[in-house]
Amino acid sequence: MPGSPSPLHARRLLVISTLLLTATFAGCTAIPADAAGTLDRVRDGEIRVGITHNPPWTDTSGPPAGSEVELVEQLAADLDADVVWTEASEALLAEALRQGELDLAIGGFTEDTPWTDKAAETVPYVDAIDEFGQTKKHVFLTRLGENRLLTAVEGFLRAEGSQ
């Protein structure tokens, strides 16, 4: 029949298609991945969390407290990890995330955070009305490139009943 592939051509197409599908599915097992293996290090270890003072989300006037601190402590318990807190300004926390000195940062960050060039933001986990009557979607920040950690944090936030 004119225009039909020869049996040899059809067989080559089948082999190439099979190889492409195998390569595609083999690659899927590594996604999402952490470039620095953060989630593996954190499990059964310690999670390094940056915190900035921003009540009621975070309060650093004494031992860390606030609604986001409670969430991080629950996340750490789920990961069987100890929390190591570092208090600093937002700018210093974002830089520490970029340099890999922190795994996570909290402090009332919102989805319009200016730090996305240094940190990855989670999906918004709660809506809140600010002092100007504007709805703000709150996020946590994680290290850029640590996608397994980001996915784990987002899964935790979703399971906790956030958005």
Side-chain angles (χ1 to χ4, degrees), residues 33 52-53 79 85 102 131 140 152 155-156:
T52 192
H53 187 72
L79 296 172
W85 296 103
L102 293 174
E131 65 272 19
F140 286 1
F156 168 80

Side-chain angles (χ1 to χ4, degrees), residues 22-161:
T22 301
T24 300
F25 288 118
C28 289
T29 60
I31 298 174
D34 284 349
T38 301
L39 185 59
D40 290 338
R41 179 183 47 77
V42 166
R43 287 186 199 275
D44 302 320
E46 63 183 33
I47 185 167
R48 303 168 303 178
V49 181
I51 183 171
T52 192
H53 187 72
N54 190 1
W57 313 105
T58 53
D59 185 346
T60 59
S61 60
S67 60
E68 290 186 354
V69 170
E70 293 171 8
L71 284 171
V72 166
E73 290 173 341
Q74 291 172 14
L75 170 67
D78 285 358
L79 296 172
D80 198 24
D82 295 322
V83 180
V84 177
W85 296 103
T86 299
E87 181 185 359
S89 68
E90 287 186 15
L92 290 175
L93 295 179
E95 183 59 25
L97 283 169
R98 188 189 70 77
Q99 292 185 9
E101 297 167 359
L102 293 174
D103 305 313
L104 185 70
I106 61 171
F109 293 100
T110 58
E111 68 176 355
D112 59 355
T113 180
W115 308 115
T116 55
D117 62 329
K118 297 181 180 185
E121 60 184 63
T122 64
V123 294
Y125 75 92
V126 69
D127 288 347
I129 307 297
D130 69 9
E131 65 272 19
F132 305 108
Q134 301 293 313
T135 299
K136 295 291 185 178
K137 296 180 179 287
H138 284 249
V139 298
F140 286 1
L141 300 181
T142 65
R143 290 178 61 188
L144 287 172
E146 300 308 288
N147 297 324
R148 284 187 63 214
L149 175 65
L150 177 64
T151 300
V153 173
E154 289 178 335
F156 168 80
L157 292 172
R158 284 189 183 106
E160 288 300 309

